Amino acid sequence: MLVKTIKEVRNIIKQNKLREKTVGLVPTMGYLHEGHLSLIRKAKQDNDFVIVSIFVNPIQFGPNEDFEDYPRDLDRDYKLAIEAGANLIFNPSVEEMYPQEIKTFVEVRDLTENLCGLSRPGHFRGVTTVVAKLFNIVQPDKAYFGQKDAQQVSVISKMVQDLNFDLEIVPCPIVRENDGLAMSSRNVYLKATERKSALLLSQSLFQAQELINKGERNAENIKDFITATLQKDEKCDIDYVKIVDFDTLKDIEILKGNVLVALAVKIGKTRLIDNIIMEVK
Ligand code: AMP
């Protein structure tokens, strides 16, 4: 079922809650791929009723980012989401979500200051605000997020903890193409030669993982290695290569504990991100 209004979603949720059905939410911006579908399938395993929201959220895009160009295909998304187990697709308009100028924002400090927060000021404020709105509208028992956006998972988990949202965040592993490229709606922007260059993101991370497995613990050495690998291709314009503690998202010098190795690279006009998360002894 396709629903466009908040009122209608609320009515349907009420009926489900009355019947003691559990509700899972998968927030997306649409143009669905296997990464999104893996979240929907997981939500279906865990819950009686699954809502997939499809909303390209203007307030999480910067002025020079791709809000207008972001790929959209609701008919295709609807079919894919239903096939994967969704019961309801919530696709509000911008006017439905933001009928007046918004003056209330949710902001998670600290965790938003490193990594993508450095190059996309205001992005996470837009994400936490819209996700908080979706949580209030849907009141899910569980909400599903991909580790592809590792910082987002961490920021939203903190928001849920700090603001006492009564739900569980379920992080889900990154789904990749056969050749390693992390799936992303933005991959459609890539021309054939750019698509080849994009492989260096996952390749450099996997090679770094091997270095770490072999005993390398010095963050600078690993970052230098990744940077050098990416720089072999002049199409790769590095935004950042970082190694942080996954609990604090602060840069670390020596790898220990729960470690996030993350990078953002621009290829042509397309900004891509990827990461690996490792427990390092
Ligand atoms: P988006 O539509 O890009 O905002 O993504 C919606 C959700 O799907 C987010 O929780 C993403 O982290 C997740 N997601 C996107 N790409 C992948 C992927 N390749 N593997 C797993 N989850 C993903």
Side-chain angles (χ1 to χ4, degrees):
M1 156 187 16
L2 179 66
V3 173
K4 296 265 183 190
T5 66
I6 294 168
K7 194 171 166 199
E8 204 182 332
V9 175
R10 285 208 157 123
N11 280 334
I12 294 166
I13 293 293
K14 237 178 238 159
Q15 292 163 21
N16 274 291
K17 297 243 157 157
L18 279 178
R19 291 194 221 116
E20 299 197 353
K21 304 265 188 219
T22 55
V23 175
L25 172 67
V26 182
T28 81
M29 297 206 299
Y31 214 71
L32 303 183
H33 51 65
E34 273 301 316
H36 300 111
L37 301 181
S38 71
L39 271 53
I40 300 172
R41 290 189 195 109
K42 171 83 175 117
K44 189 64 189 177
Q45 281 171 15
D46 297 353
N47 301 276
D48 300 315
F49 195 82
V50 173
I51 299 190
V52 175
S53 61
I54 297 183
F55 180 61
V56 185
N57 174 36
I59 69 165
Q60 71 187 66
F61 287 79
N64 298 317
E65 294 185 354
D66 57 346
F67 172 68
E68 297 292 343
D69 296 337
Y70 197 84
R72 294 161 168 91
D73 188 344
L74 182 61
D75 289 346
R76 180 175 165 273
D77 285 351
Y78 181 81
K79 286 191 198 104
L80 289 172
I82 295 286
E83 271 169 30
N87 299 95
L88 188 158
I89 316 302
F90 178 45
N91 175 231
S93 63
V94 172
E95 294 70 36
E96 179 72 8
M97 288 297 274
Y98 304 112
Q100 296 100 24
E101 186 196 343
I102 186 168
K103 295 190 195 285
T104 310
F105 294 88
V106 179
E107 193 159 349
V108 175
R109 288 194 182 165
D110 230 29
L111 296 173
T112 55
E113 277 156 27
N114 201 357
L115 303 160
C116 287
L118 285 172
S119 35
R120 302 187 73 188
H123 167 69
F124 284 109
R125 189 176 85 148
V127 170
T128 39
T129 302
V130 80
V131 170
K133 281 165 75 74
L134 288 169
F135 286 172
N136 281 330
I137 294 164
V138 172
Q139 310 217 346
D141 297 285
K142 293 185 178 177
Y144 296 78
F145 292 88
Q147 296 278 20
K148 156 98 189 318
D149 301 273
Q151 185 173 19
Q152 176 171 281
V153 173
S154 155
V155 167
I156 289 171
S157 300
K158 187 69 181 141
M159 173 186 85
V160 164
Q161 186 186 43
D162 286 353
L163 297 184
N164 304 94
F165 281 100
D166 189 13
L167 59 92
E168 184 189 332
I169 297 297
V170 183
C172 302
I174 300 179
V175 177
R176 299 178 178 280
E177 304 282 359
N178 286 336
D179 58 10
L181 180 67
M183 290 197 181
S184 164
S185 306
R186 290 189 168 98
N187 289 350
V188 292
Y189 296 147
L190 298 169
K191 299 187 189 114
T193 51
E194 294 175 339
R195 171 75 179 65
K196 257 190 196 156
S197 308
L199 281 182
L200 282 177
L201 276 75
S202 55
Q203 280 171 6
S204 64
L205 286 169
F206 296 155
Q207 286 165 12
Q209 190 160 28
E210 274 174 31
L211 288 180
I212 299 166
N213 288 340
K214 281 186 192 143
E216 180 63 78
R217 294 291 179 267
N218 183 303
E220 214 54 48
N221 292 346
I222 299 163
K223 285 188 283 185
D224 285 349
F225 170 81
I226 295 173
T227 304
T229 306
L230 292 167
Q231 280 173 342
K232 280 186 202 146
D233 189 322
E234 60 182 17
K235 285 203 191 66
C236 290
D237 177 10
I238 298 173
D239 176 355
Y240 66 75
V241 173
K242 283 198 169 255
I243 302 185
V244 300
D245 180 300
F246 189 47
D247 300 322
T248 62
L249 300 189
K250 296 252 190 278
D251 293 340
I252 51 175
E253 286 174 15
I254 300 295
L255 279 71
K256 195 169 170 46
N258 210 2
V259 169
L260 169 68
V261 185
L263 47 81
V265 177
K266 247 184 140 181
I267 299 182
K269 286 190 177 140
T270 312
R271 184 176 178 280
L272 299 173
I273 56 172
D274 201 350
N275 70 77
I276 48 172
I277 298 169
M278 298 179 75
E279 184 63 39
V280 182
K281 296 229 162 33

